[in-house]
């Protein structure tokens, strides 16, 4: 299991959102994640294996 990225969360909360310590520590992880998505947008997932194979066929490396 990957530990929660507290350093990155604090940089975002204090540096980007400019929250006070009190406001930051009162947020739930879900609220912090929603604020991040509001600023950064939804994260794109990797393509499915079938889509990747189709792209590899259409655009070969040229080796």
């Amino acid at each position: 299991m990957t530990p929660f990225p507290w350093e990155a969360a604090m940089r975002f909360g204090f540096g980007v959102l400019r929250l006070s310590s009190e406001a930051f520590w009162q947020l739930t992880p879900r609220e912090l994640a929603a604020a991040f998505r509001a600023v950064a947008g939804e994260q794109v997932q990797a393509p499915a294996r079938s889509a990747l194979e189709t792209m590899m066929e259409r655009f070969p490396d040229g080796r």
Side-chain angles (χ1 to χ4, degrees):
M1 178 181 225
T2 304
F4 188 81
W6 284 111
E7 183 69 29
M10 289 187 290
R11 281 195 310 264
F12 177 71
F14 298 133
V16 177
L17 298 178
R18 308 190 64 66
L19 297 172
S20 67
S21 292
E22 182 179 359
F24 175 81
W25 291 111
Q26 288 180 357
L27 289 173
T28 65
R30 183 173 287 184
E31 291 169 330
L32 186 60
F36 181 80
R37 285 192 306 275
V39 172
E42 294 293 327
Q43 298 299 304
V44 177
Q45 294 182 349
R49 182 67 186 187
S50 60
L52 180 60
E53 289 172 351
T54 300
M55 286 189 286
M56 290 168 58
E57 289 173 9
R58 290 185 60 199
F59 307 103
D61 286 340
R63 293 182 194 168

